[in-house]
Amino acid sequence: MLLHLRQVLTPQELAQAREVLAAAPWGDGRVTAGVQSALAKNNEQLPQGCEASRNVQALVLNALQRHAMFFSAALPRQIFPPLFNRYGGVTNAFANHVDNAIRYVPGSGARVRTDLSCTLFLSEPHEYDGGELVIEDPFESPRLKLPAGDMLLYPGTSVHRVEPVTRGQRIASFFWVESMVRSDEQRRLLFDLDAHLMRLRTEHGEADAAAIGITGTYHNLLRMWANA
Ligand code: NI
């Protein structure tokens, strides 16, 4: 499932993140790439342990905490500490690649299975040309460029790329989510069920017998499928 999450960051958080990242010590993006994707990758990335990175990581993780649709869609079990990349000038693209299935968190060594990939856009679309995130699909490959502060959630299983940025700079945060529900199909069913349930609760009230019954069904499916 491909999902556009709107206004994950408030305008204030976005401004703060951009200010910190503008003064940050950017480096070669290939440090976190595997052998195959290092050949495709040509961008800049923020060193994982630097102060700027830690500051904006905390800001992004805090914003995710309060985003109900993110929780409903991703059912996160673990979130890889957000990374930051910048495309522009001579380091401006990332050709087709797949993300590693397992990522190791620096320091703790914890393993995160990359069920979902996330790209949180930090530059406005009018600030750069090119830079679309393209997710390969045999029928039609979507070409995505979201407003700053919005986030794209897409399956970790995809082949994807970032088109060359030919003007300006494209700054984004990217990271992965290990979901409590491993199957994309099951997660999708729970997401749809939750959305319909929210509508039912809004229209008929929390005490509505059907709303209570279907809430039970939602939790029973989650209990059956989740690896919490
Ligand atoms: Ni990738």
Side-chain angles (χ1 to χ4, degrees), residues 94 97-99 117 154 160 174 176:
F94 195 168
H97 67 281
V98 290
D99 294 345
S117 296
Y154 59 103
H160 54 273
F174 66 105
W176 301 272

Side-chain angles (χ1 to χ4, degrees), residues 33-102:
V35 176
Q36 193 181 70
S37 62
L39 296 173
K41 194 172 186 182
N42 179 29
N43 65 4
E44 289 179 296
Q45 201 166 299
L46 213 55
Q48 284 167 285
C50 76
E51 198 188 332
S53 171
R54 286 203 308 272
N55 282 348
V56 190
Q57 261 172 8
L59 189 145
V60 171
L61 291 170
N62 181 54
L64 291 175
Q65 288 292 330
R66 59 165 194 256
H67 204 286
M69 195 186 270
F70 169 73
F71 188 86
S72 176
L75 296 167
R77 181 170 185 253
Q78 290 193 83
I79 300 175
F80 190 88
L83 297 166
F84 301 91
N85 59 20
R86 183 166 75 174
Y87 295 85
V90 293
T91 48
N92 67 348
F94 195 168
N96 269 349
H97 67 281
V98 290
D99 294 345
N100 285 354
I102 309 288

Side-chain angles (χ1 to χ4, degrees), residues 1 14 24 33 57-58 66 100 110 130 181 188 201 220 223 225:
M1 178 172 62
L14 178 63
Q57 261 172 8
R66 59 165 194 256
N100 285 354
V181 176
R188 173 67 197 250
R201 286 162 61 188
N220 290 333
R223 191 175 288 113
W225 290 337

Side-chain angles (χ1 to χ4, degrees), residues 141-174:
S141 303
R143 303 172 60 81
L144 300 143
K145 197 168 180 172
L146 305 187
D150 287 14
M151 189 168 98
L152 188 78
L153 208 60
Y154 59 103
T157 50
S158 70
V159 172
H160 54 273
R161 66 178 177 274
V162 175
E163 296 284 38
V165 170
T166 54
R167 176 189 63 88
Q169 284 188 333
R170 174 198 191 272
I171 298 176
S173 175
F174 66 105

